[in-house]
Amino acid sequence: MEQITEHHHIPSSASRLAASILTALVFVVALNLRAPLTSVGPLLPRIGTSEHLNATMQGLLGSLPILAFAVVSPMVHRAAERLGIERTVLAAMAFLTLGIVIRSACGTIGLWAGTLVIGCSIAVGNVLVPAIVKRDYPGHTSLATGIYSACMTGMAAFASAAALPLSDAIGWQGTLGIWAIPAGIVTLLWLWRSRANAQRTTPAAKTATDAQPRSRQSTASETRLRVSMWKRPEAWAVTLFMGLQSVNYYVCVTWLPTIEVSFGVPADRTGWHLAVFQLVGIVMGLLIPVLLKGDSQVAAVVVASVPLAIGALGLAFAPRLDLLWIIVASIGSGCSLVVALSLIGLKTSTTEETTQLSGMAQCVGYLLAAVGPTLAGTIYDITSGWRTVLIMLAILAVAQTAIGIIIGRNKEAGR
């Protein structure tokens, strides 16, 4: 009761400021959803040498978190229903911190076990953070989503660029382990937010609470939607588009520094090039929605997909222009993610359908993406070169273009 009395003495402006800060902490969570993964790519050669891992095993190490995304994502809503969204995110951030420490400090077994824990933890954030953004910023969802995406991708780019310089100073274990610091800080901040929200019922919390009975009442309807969605050809097309762009992105994030080094690019430049790959993607991801307006999404699909093929083929056959081809590929990569996410909403007519298609696309899409880095490493082991891998990425980009054009021309979908 004393706490409640004290809150009455807080000026309304200060109270609003505190509430705004608490709400904005979701963007701090977003900062931690890619950096622990993108810091690995530039360090793979050093990790491989230290832990005696061939290219296939290095690829598997890069694929493990993505596989965790695919397996865990469909189950996150159940945990959120039992614990609440706030507590589920808190648990995810705590386990993320623990996973980062295990990956760096517990030897070879810890490298694999920690990576798996990291993947599972980030999968929870992948599912719940966009939902929190939409819930807490109902009048500014597009802007808030853009900020969320920029935070996530921007920190991922920084992690890529800083990996090698940090590794020179503190070793690859220390470089990967340092990301436990921001993860630990956000865990404490989210604990503050969770406790503050538990002491009062915010409009957002009330909205979430009110939505639960409706969710229970519509369980049978959602089950029917889930069955029918998996039988819809266009749903599979959207899912394949999501999966193909994910394969391209995660192969690049995992192997691009190694590929460049094999072509004679100095190792200290590769981390910065991977950062450029991601930063250009941020800018293009903010611009591509202009082409998604109207009945057809064909133009957006072409702009998103064709540069992926050009960049891969350019790097394969003219590697001296590596930075140019990386920028071209990053244009496609940044646009492809936004187009894939947009197609999920554009090709469904109800919130329930959108939810079902999103779950299907993320589950299958991440399964496909998980195969990518490992397959790329296996191809390298067989061929002793990266040109075949780059040609494979170009072929997948062409397939993505064809599938996207079919989807984009279907004006009646979702209506």
Side-chain angles (χ1 to χ4, degrees):
M1 293 297 295
E2 292 178 358
Q3 290 181 340
I4 295 175
T5 302
E6 291 174 359
H7 281 302
H8 284 299
H9 294 288
I10 298 177
S12 59
S13 59
S15 180
R16 288 195 297 271
L17 177 60
S20 298
I21 293 174
L22 285 169
T23 303
L25 288 179
V26 69
F27 302 120
V28 184
V29 173
L31 293 172
N32 291 268
L33 295 184
R34 287 296 179 272
L37 304 182
T38 59
S39 57
V40 174
L43 301 177
L44 271 182
R46 300 184 184 189
I47 295 173
T49 300
S50 174
E51 300 297 322
H52 308 290
L53 304 177
N54 61 20
T56 298
M57 296 303 292
Q58 291 176 45
L60 181 59
L61 185 66
S63 297
L64 193 57
I66 313 166
L67 185 61
F69 292 174
V71 174
V72 173
S73 293
M75 299 184 287
V76 172
H77 73 282
R78 296 179 182 176
E81 286 176 357
R82 292 184 179 183
L83 300 177
I85 289 180
E86 305 290 336
R87 290 181 179 179
T88 305
V89 172
L90 176 62
M93 291 300 101
F95 275 104
L96 176 61
T97 306
L98 178 63
I100 293 172
V101 172
I102 292 173
R103 181 176 65 177
S104 298
C106 298
T108 302
I109 295 177
L111 175 66
W112 293 92
T115 298
L116 181 60
V117 173
I118 290 168
C120 293
S121 303
I122 291 178
V124 175
N126 286 342
V127 174
L128 294 184
V129 169
I132 293 173
V133 167
K134 185 174 182 179
R135 183 196 70 185
D136 290 355
Y137 294 92
H140 307 281
T141 302
S142 297
L143 176 60
T145 300
I147 296 173
Y148 148 71
S149 300
C151 288
M152 184 172 65
T153 311
M155 185 57 75
F158 173 78
S160 299
L164 285 174
L166 279 174
S167 181
D168 290 337
I170 60 177
W172 68 262
Q173 294 95 336
T175 301
L176 296 182
I178 203 169
W179 292 104
I181 296 175
I185 291 173
V186 77
T187 300
L188 295 176
L189 291 174
W190 201 263
L191 177 61
W192 170 44
R193 168 175 163 140
S194 298
R195 289 181 173 178
N197 285 348
Q199 292 174 358
R200 69 186 190 281
T201 302
T202 62
K206 186 176 184 299
T207 299
T209 301
D210 291 343
Q212 288 179 1
R214 178 182 177 277
S215 177
R216 296 189 190 101
Q217 293 169 3
S218 59
T219 301
S221 174
E222 290 177 353
T223 301
R224 289 193 297 270
L225 280 169
R226 186 180 297 112
V227 172
S228 61
M229 188 62 68
W230 286 81
K231 293 181 178 179
R232 298 182 187 180
E234 187 168 62
W236 276 104
V238 173
T239 297
L240 287 174
F241 188 93
M242 169 69 81
L244 290 172
Q245 67 86 25
S246 294
V247 170
N248 207 300
Y249 174 79
Y250 282 105
V251 169
C252 289
V253 167
T254 302
W255 287 116
L256 186 57
T258 305
I259 292 172
E260 286 194 279
V261 168
S262 74
F263 289 144
V265 178
D268 58 352
R269 281 172 48 190
T270 61
W272 289 105
H273 286 181
L274 187 56
V276 168
F277 175 80
Q278 295 173 90
L279 289 172
V280 173
I282 294 175
V283 177
M284 295 309 302
L286 294 173
L287 297 177
I288 194 64
V290 175
L291 296 179
L292 288 167
K293 297 177 180 178
D295 291 330
S296 173
Q297 295 82 45
V298 171
V301 165
V302 172
V303 170
S305 304
V306 171
L308 293 174
I310 295 174
L313 292 176
L315 192 58
F317 295 102
R320 291 185 179 181
L321 300 174
D322 56 313
L323 183 57
L324 171 63
W325 305 126
I326 288 170
I327 292 174
V328 171
S330 69
I331 292 173
S333 181
C335 292
S336 290
L337 176 60
V338 176
V339 171
L341 294 174
S342 298
L343 287 174
I344 292 173
L346 291 170
K347 301 307 177 181
T348 51
S349 55
T350 67
T351 302
E352 289 79 7
E353 286 186 344
T354 302
T355 302
Q356 296 301 328
L357 180 54
S358 178
M360 174 182 174
Q362 287 201 44
C363 178
V364 178
Y366 281 132
L367 280 174
L368 290 174
V371 173
T374 303
L375 179 60
T378 301
I379 292 174
Y380 173 80
D381 283 337
I382 294 172
T383 64
S384 299
W386 291 104
R387 181 169 292 176
T388 303
V389 172
L390 292 169
I391 293 173
M392 177 192 75
L393 292 181
I395 294 172
L396 293 179
V398 171
Q400 176 182 317
T401 306
I403 292 170
I405 289 175
I406 294 172
I407 304 170
R409 290 175 62 183
N410 191 344
K411 299 180 181 180
E412 300 302 319
R415 297 184 180 182

